[in-house]
Structure formats: C-alpha cells, structure tokens
Amino acid sequence: MTIPERLRLIHSQIAKARENALFDQPVKLLAVSKGHNEAAVRMAMGAGQMIFAENRVQEAGEKFSALRMEGTAPELHLIGPLQGNKAKDAVALFDVIHTIDRISIAEKLASEMEKQNRSLTFFIQVNTGEENQKSGVLPKDLPELIKSCKTLGLNVIGLMCIPPVDAPPELHFSFLKKLADEHQLTQLSMGMSHDFEIAIRYGATHIRIGSAIFGERN
Ligand SMILES: *Cc1c(COP(=O)(O)O)cnc(C)c1O
C-alpha cells in the first residue's frame, strides 16, 4: 500500500474506533516520521496530513528544515525524551512537546521560550507502568510537576503515556485518563500503530502513528 492509501485506511479505522469510544472526543492523527525521510513526509502532506511527530530533535531539524524554508512546514510535535542541552533547538523547532517529565526540563523550556519569544504547547509524560528504563514522571510525582509547570507559565494541555509492551494497554490508557481528569487536563496523547483503536476507546485525543503510515523503520 502507498502512504496515501495507508492514511485513508487509518482515517476509516479512527472513525470506526470513535463510534465505540466511551467519550465523544475529537482525535488528532500525528504521523510519526522518525526513521523515514523527507520524501515520505512530503508524500503524506500530499495526502493532506499536516501534523507530524519526531522523537529526536536533531533528526527532526534536518528533515523539516527545507519545508520550513519553503514556508510550508506542517505542525511538528516532539514525542521522544528531551535532554536539557537540546531544549533550545526543541523550542525553536517544535510546536508541541509531549515529553515534559521533570521540573528541570520544564524550567529550561520556559526560559528558552522567553528568550526566543516563542510559545509552545505541552503534555507531561507519565510513566504509568513505573518502568525503570522508561522516561516519564512517576504518578506520585505528577501533582508537583503540574504545579511547577503552572508556576512557570507553561501551557500544559494534557498527559502522554507509552504502556509497557507486555501489559494490557487499556489499564494504562484508563489510568492516564483518570489522572488527566483529576487535574482538569483535557488532552490525552496515547495510542500507537498497534493499539490506537483501544486508546481512542479510552479517550485519546492525540494518537501517534508511525509504521502503519510509513511502513517498518530500518
Ligand atoms: C515511534 C513512536 C511512536 C510510533 O510508533 P509506531 O508503532 O510506529 O506507530 C509513537 N510514540 C512514540 C513515543 C514513539 O517513539
């Protein structure tokens, strides 16, 4: 299947999943272009896809620089872990960052936005499975992080999670929804190629789909 055909299929799957959803939320499709080239991005844009997501700042910068110079850059989201020394480039490049997970990175982002006079939108990544190797704030530390982000003036609109590979994702999706509700956050970044229909059922507003659109990564 071509990229436009895959996108059409996913849109119909999204529509079907919304019929079975427990909530009536709108769903944004983020095309995860990591591991694929600029030509693939342009092909998806040709099929009407205007939101992309990358997990590395440098790779995203290289891939999207020509599009930005042409003035046709799509909306760009960062979905990978962010190091402090990349905050400057991330603020310059991205519109939305899904991976705030500690106060120190929130502080750096706030200070970079002020320096660059840019205003981004944010999600906080929650390590719902409390996995050692995974980034994301632990659920018990979430209230304090949200409070700090508010104090810093960051526009946090929602929560993001990546469920453990060996766990039923619905437990993690419904847990993330509950945490978001507790903090009056309305947006939920959850669901990938293999589980986006379940994520939509449990309230996802932003689904992050790579391989189902672009094929397998090398
Ligand atoms: C790579 C990635 C995705 C997309 O994964 P697919 O299985 O290719 O859809 C989604 N979210 C994050 C955080 C990723 O790193």
Side-chain angles (χ1 to χ4, degrees), residues 32 34 55 79 160 162 192-194 208-212 217:
V32 179
K34 70 179 182 201
N55 70 336
I79 58 172
M160 177 270 214
I162 308 168
M192 309 174 27
S193 292
H194 65 281
R208 312 177 306 262
I209 301 191
S211 46
R217 294 175 285 273

